[in-house]
Amino acid sequence: MANPNKRKGTAWESAVRDYLNTAYGLVDSEGAFRDPFDPMNIRRAAQEGARDVGDIHAVPFILECKDVRNPAVPTWLRQAEKEATHAGFPYGVVVHKSRGLGVAAGRVHFSVRTWTRVRLALGRTTAEMRDRGFTATVRGLDSGRWYMTLPLDRFAVLLADLRWVVSCREVR
């Protein structure tokens, strides 16, 4: 891989994938999937050009991973949501690397629309979501530029909770 920025991005995507798979116990001590056919495994997606499907698939989320110094979160969120639609997933979020900190400190950004849909799916209040560690960024009057942020380690808990809620609904 000749492009150093591409190499950085790929390394960040792999680190996020490995962190989440380890957090869920989906991989063994060697990093191999315990069940390679489990649809809940968190995987890096193949790039598909104009119909890109995101960097990481963590059902029901598409994760768009960014390892850059200057954030453009609202633009990235639009990209993540478009890629989630291409992949047939309900939610698209951005995972931005926090400089000088470990993977668990990465910042997961949600558009207000996605955050609201996740909150409703979990049956949580705004206060309960704030207690989970969400912070809001509000820029001007254009709500399209507003977003909610959560550390990656707390996102891992939210993802587990959402997967549990969805699985319970499927059993009914």
Side-chain angles (χ1 to χ4, degrees):
M1 191 179 306
N3 183 336
N5 289 331
K6 176 78 171 150
R7 188 171 33 253
K8 262 186 7 181
T10 298
W12 176 236
E13 291 168 18
S14 296
V16 169
R17 176 205 58 206
D18 294 347
Y19 175 83
L20 291 173
N21 276 321
T22 301
Y24 291 124
L26 297 171
V27 293
D28 62 21
S29 60
E30 305 294 317
F33 286 123
R34 294 185 190 282
D35 177 0
F37 302 106
D38 185 346
M40 293 298 124
N41 289 337
I42 296 159
R43 301 180 184 272
R44 285 189 59 233
Q47 299 303 308
E48 298 192 18
R51 299 230 2 122
D52 196 0
V53 292
D55 296 328
I56 296 176
H57 291 186
V59 175
F61 289 92
I62 290 297
L63 309 180
E64 185 64 27
C65 296
K66 299 294 183 181
D67 180 5
V68 298
R69 191 176 313 273
N70 299 317
V73 177
T75 300
W76 297 341
L77 285 169
R78 285 190 295 276
Q79 175 188 1
E81 290 174 346
K82 183 181 207 179
E83 292 173 357
T85 299
H86 290 167
F89 281 58
Y91 311 114
V93 297
V94 174
V95 185
H96 184 214
K97 184 175 183 176
S98 295
R99 299 267 176 231
L101 301 174
V103 178
R107 309 299 290 164
V108 183
H109 304 292
F110 292 65
S111 69
V112 173
R113 175 181 294 140
T114 297
W115 178 84
T116 301
R117 291 174 53 227
V118 169
R119 180 180 67 77
L120 294 173
L122 288 169
R124 300 284 185 241
T125 66
T126 300
E128 289 171 327
M129 293 295 271
R130 185 178 51 246
D131 291 345
R132 285 177 169 257
F134 274 99
T135 58
T137 300
V138 178
R139 297 182 174 182
L141 298 176
D142 178 6
S143 62
R145 297 179 46 83
W146 301 355
Y147 54 91
M148 309 301 282
T149 304
L150 186 69
L152 184 60
D153 59 346
R154 296 216 179 165
F155 173 78
V157 175
L158 178 124
L159 176 59
D161 290 350
L162 188 59
R163 285 178 166 186
W164 183 81
V165 167
V166 169
S167 70
C168 288
R169 287 185 187 146
E170 290 173 357
V171 171
R172 289 183 200 166

